[in-house]
Amino acid sequence: MTCSCFTRRHTRRDVLGTLGLAAFSTLLAACGEKAGEAPSLAPVEIDRATSCELDGMLLADYPGPKAQIHYAGQDKPAFFCDTVELFNTLLAGEQVRAVRAVYVQDMGQADWNEPKGHWIDAKTAVYVLGSKRHGSMGPTIASFAQQADATKFAGEYGGKVLRFADIQRDMVDLSGGALHDTRM
């Protein structure tokens, strides 16, 4: 008796597809998720002691949108006191940690000077780059849930409206912010 899997001629696509699906299922299982289910990680609210992953600054002490990344295998999210820091981290060539979820604040709802809550999925957000409004590190990238809010903000404060995928590494240079922060 011959197993049918040995008598059928497998194409390269069959083999690669099976291997890819097996690797994907293994990766999801390692992250505690079942195949076919999307990760369901809720954003975590900041408090007075929440500090930035990159520089230790307290998020609550600074204006502008904040961000958080939930990495696979890490219980607590990494927080960022500025969206420029977030994008600099995500777009870094050396970024190798698996990202499960990314959140930014909806500045159409949150108070710019003391942003709390209003977390949205960073990948679906609309951004304004190059406005006159500053965040914790100087010029920042404002984040919005709604295109209309981003367009209104750009009309009032200047800047270019962009989607997540439009933001490139050369747009998120961190060299200026820390050099000009007198409160550090």
Side-chain angles (χ1 to χ4, degrees):
M1 182 164 150
T2 307
C3 176
S4 64
C5 62
F6 292 114
T7 58
R8 179 176 173 234
R9 184 170 184 206
H10 293 283
T11 66
R12 183 176 181 186
R13 179 180 291 167
D14 291 336
V15 173
L16 291 176
T18 301
L19 290 174
L21 183 58
F24 180 70
S25 296
T26 302
L27 180 62
L28 283 177
C31 294
E33 303 292 338
K34 293 180 183 173
E37 290 182 8
S40 58
L41 294 172
V44 176
E45 189 53 59
I46 63 173
D47 59 29
R48 295 290 312 154
T50 305
S51 63
C52 180
E53 168 92 351
L54 298 181
D55 53 27
M57 292 170 58
L58 296 177
L59 275 65
D61 289 347
Y62 297 92
K66 311 299 182 242
Q68 56 185 279
I69 299 175
H70 294 255
Y71 291 108
Q74 188 173 314
D75 291 339
K76 295 181 181 179
F79 288 98
F80 299 88
C81 56
D82 196 285
T83 51
V84 174
E85 291 178 332
L86 167 75
F87 279 103
N88 186 276
T89 299
L90 290 174
L91 297 172
E94 62 275 5
Q95 170 62 279
V96 294
R97 294 189 282 179
V99 174
R100 294 182 64 208
V102 182
Y103 296 102
V104 292
Q105 290 177 301
D106 176 7
M107 299 314 291
Q109 301 295 316
D111 177 342
W112 188 275
N113 293 315
E114 293 183 36
K116 294 180 181 107
H118 304 287
W119 295 100
I120 55 174
D121 183 339
K123 293 182 181 179
T124 61
V126 182
Y127 298 91
V128 178
L129 174 71
S131 79
K132 296 173 190 166
R133 298 293 313 253
H134 284 198
S136 67
M137 303 304 285
T140 193
I141 303 171
S143 47
F144 299 90
Q146 303 296 320
Q147 175 83 32
D149 290 338
T151 302
K152 179 182 174 188
F153 181 89
E156 189 172 343
Y157 299 105
K160 182 178 180 181
V161 177
L162 300 168
R163 290 288 183 179
F164 183 88
D166 298 329
I167 299 173
Q168 303 298 312
R169 177 94 168 124
D170 63 344
M171 298 174 180
V172 292
D173 179 21
L174 292 178
S175 64
L179 298 175
H180 303 290
D181 186 359
T182 59
R183 297 189 293 178
M184 285 179 60

